[in-house]
Amino acid sequence: MQTFGWPEAYFILRAASWTIALTAIAFVIGGLFGGVLAIMRLSRLKLLRRFAAGYILVIQSIPVLMVLFMSYYGLSAVGIELPPFLAASASLAIYVSAYLAEIWRGSIESVPRQQWEASASLALTRGQQYRYIILPQAARISLPPTVGFLVQLVKNTSIVQVVGFVDLMRAGMLVNNATYQAFQIFTLVGAIYFAICFPLSRLSRHLEKVMNASRSH
Amino acid sequence: MILNGVMLTIALSFVAIALGLVLATLMSALRSLAGSWAGYIVDAYVELMRNTPFLVQLFMIFFGLPQIGIRMNGLEASMLAMTLNLAAYATEIIRAGVDSIHKSQIEAGLALAMSRRQVFQYVVLQPAFARVWPALSSQFVLMMLASSICSFVSVQELSGTAAIIEQDTFRSFETYIIVTVIYLVLALSLKLFLNWLGRRIFPQVSGLARVTEAHGEAA
């Protein structure tokens, strides 16, 4: 039996970069869809509003694990074989899109209504209103909760190991299968997750404080 | 078989919610009543749990603890992990509610010769709970969904059952669709139930503005 030593620790540490890569991809793709969904949710067309609301409700009410199972095992049963990395990033992006859409919708709605009215009276089109007046303000408001959500995403990437993708969590499990020194291994794995997440949590809280201070002026 | 899985998912969630809430209330009380060192320990615990994945916590309990002589089966480990995880999130949510109680309320309570404990219980905790109930509710729903992860330590709850049926029948798509729909129904029913419960327990604040937005935080 192997023992848990520096090579194993290095292997785990290197797998952490896959966790970060997966987070980044899921965040960017999910963010794009989430942005579109947020705007659809606020659209003047009932059909678009309904569709976005339904999608968000469903995705937020089912476990990410089920989305992952369906996109990996489910799709392969109907003949579509996704490689693990693709299935993992697609599932996480779906999860991200629903949560970011809600966070961003809240931010857009918290821009005072007078801003819409004032920009409409300047004869701006709806697209121009979003681009020049509403979104820049909404982006500022949405920054703290978005960074906070990033922490949730980093942690949730840990479940992609079920499809065999070697992220931080999977690396820990592989080393555990070889050495059976679970306590040390999962302490290290947990510490690495903590090292990624804690600064983000702090940043989110800091941003929140800064913005509350600037709003009270 | 699926029905057993559903029952186990509900039972796991119920135990975790009940125990987690009690633990969180105690930790919140510790934070605001006892000396500052207890507050620091609670804060450290909350930060530690909130910044590591639930799966790591579960594995630490299931695979890690036996190494120092504490052995648990999958079900016990899942229950413990869910409770500890939920307690940390709930403590953080309750803290927001406690912070929102105005100082003058506490002073007024003390002026009425209430003890510090009475003030905490009646003047601080009850209104705080009422205000953060929506955030707590969505955290409970997220915990119920996160219980799906307990299938990793071979607990036969809903998603564990799904994996077994899938292996037996090879009808993955149908199996996962059905199970996903069941989760959806469970989550929506839990949401409705908690809303109803909130209106029942805290009727006095149903018209007041709530402090915390129910932002989702998955475990």
Side-chain angles (χ1 to χ4, degrees):
Chain A
M1 194 164 75
Q2 259 177 291
T3 49
F4 179 55
W6 286 112
E8 285 77 20
Y10 179 67
F11 173 67
I12 290 177
L13 204 59
R14 240 192 4 195
S17 61
W18 280 111
T19 289
I20 294 173
L22 198 60
T23 305
I25 291 173
F27 183 76
V28 170
I29 298 174
L32 285 176
F33 282 110
V36 173
L37 281 167
I39 289 175
M40 275 168 74
R41 188 86 172 67
L42 296 166
S43 150
R44 276 173 295 197
L45 296 173
K46 205 174 185 177
L47 191 71
L48 289 182
R49 262 199 330 258
R50 285 266 171 87
F51 173 80
Y55 173 88
I56 293 167
L57 182 73
V58 168
I59 299 299
Q60 289 198 349
S61 306
I62 60 176
V64 205
L65 189 60
M66 285 297 127
V67 182
L68 187 62
F69 274 156
M70 257 194 284
S71 58
Y72 190 66
Y73 298 111
L75 283 185
S76 77
V78 291
I80 307 166
E81 298 268 356
L82 292 185
F85 184 70
L86 201 60
S89 32
S91 316
L92 288 170
I94 289 172
Y95 155 77
V96 169
S97 67
Y99 281 88
L100 282 186
E102 270 307 88
I103 292 175
W104 291 348
R105 176 184 68 98
S107 311
I108 294 172
E109 276 181 336
S110 63
V111 174
R113 200 149 45 91
Q114 289 85 341
Q115 298 283 328
W116 285 102
E117 290 162 3
S119 52
S121 73
L122 291 171
L124 296 183
T125 64
R126 191 140 166 111
Q128 286 171 326
Q129 286 178 303
Y130 264 122
R131 187 163 158 214
Y132 297 111
I133 311 293
I134 306 300
L135 288 185
Q137 301 182 61
R140 239 179 83 81
I141 300 168
S142 71
L143 205 54
T146 305
V147 175
F149 176 73
L150 209 48
V151 176
Q152 307 303 322
L153 176 60
V154 172
K155 292 188 297 175
N156 268 328
T157 59
S158 64
I159 64 160
V160 303
Q161 46 89 8
V162 277
V163 297
F165 182 70
V166 183
D167 69 324
L168 176 52
M169 190 67 209
R170 180 91 190 166
M173 289 171 71
L174 290 174
V175 173
N176 183 41
N177 290 342
T179 66
Y180 290 104
Q181 285 172 297
F183 198 81
Q184 290 92 317
I185 293 162
F186 290 119
T187 303
L188 176 66
V189 170
I192 298 173
Y193 275 114
F194 188 83
I196 301 171
C197 292
F198 187 65
L200 289 173
S201 306
R202 271 294 139 110
L203 177 64
S204 167
R205 196 164 289 179
H206 172 74
L207 288 169
E208 213 166 287
K209 242 177 233 159
V210 171
M211 285 185 190
N212 274 338
S214 68
R215 213 178 294 167
S216 61
H217 281 304
Chain B
M1 195 170 169
I2 285 190
L3 196 66
N4 282 339
V6 172
M7 295 314 284
L8 194 53
T9 291
I10 294 176
L12 264 175
S13 312
F14 182 78
V15 171
I17 290 170
L19 293 181
L21 202 53
V22 171
L23 196 58
T25 311
L26 288 177
M27 288 200 288
S28 309
L30 209 60
R31 245 184 125 263
S32 30
L33 288 182
S36 58
W37 61 269
Y40 282 128
I41 293 175
V42 170
D43 284 348
Y45 172 77
V46 170
E47 290 295 340
L48 203 64
M49 297 301 271
R50 279 168 48 94
N51 288 299
T52 51
F54 175 61
L55 189 55
V56 173
Q57 295 158 13
L58 183 63
F59 277 18
M60 195 67 182
I61 292 172
F62 188 68
F63 295 115
L65 287 187
Q67 221 180 321
I68 53 170
I70 307 167
R71 220 161 270 280
M72 263 177 261
N73 64 33
L75 192 62
E76 291 159 352
S78 302
M79 229 173 245
L80 183 64
M82 281 173 73
T83 303
L84 292 179
N85 184 283
L86 184 64
Y89 280 94
T91 305
E92 177 68 12
I93 293 171
I94 295 171
R95 187 182 65 97
V98 168
D99 285 351
S100 77
I101 304 296
H102 205 274
K103 232 192 199 128
S104 60
Q105 297 276 325
I106 298 167
E107 286 161 4
L110 291 172
L112 288 171
M114 290 167 98
S115 70
R116 287 203 70 88
R117 217 193 122 228
Q118 284 174 319
V119 169
F120 184 74
Q121 191 175 340
Y122 299 109
V123 180
V124 178
L125 204 56
Q126 275 186 21
F129 253 100
R131 287 187 195 176
V132 297
W133 186 256
L136 276 178
S137 309
S138 41
Q139 194 60 48
F140 296 159
V141 174
L142 286 167
M143 192 74 248
M144 193 275 284
L145 296 178
S147 73
S148 61
I149 288 172
C150 297
S151 57
F152 289 4
V153 293
S154 60
V155 173
Q156 301 296 308
E157 39 65 82
L158 191 47
S159 64
T161 315
I164 289 181
I165 295 177
E166 195 261 330
Q167 279 160 21
D168 287 348
T169 61
F170 291 107
R171 318 213 78 173
S172 346
F173 215 68
E174 291 94 325
T175 314
Y176 290 129
I177 286 276
I178 291 170
V179 169
T180 302
V181 170
I182 298 177
Y183 270 117
L184 187 66
V185 171
L186 278 180
L188 296 179
S189 326
L190 184 59
K191 228 176 260 181
L192 285 178
F193 170 72
L194 290 169
N195 282 346
W196 172 83
L197 195 66
R199 279 197 307 272
R200 277 296 295 269
I201 317 177
F202 312 112
Q204 73 278 20
V205 275
S206 51
L208 276 182
R210 311 280 189 171
V211 214
T212 42
E213 271 300 306
H215 270 320
E217 284 200 281

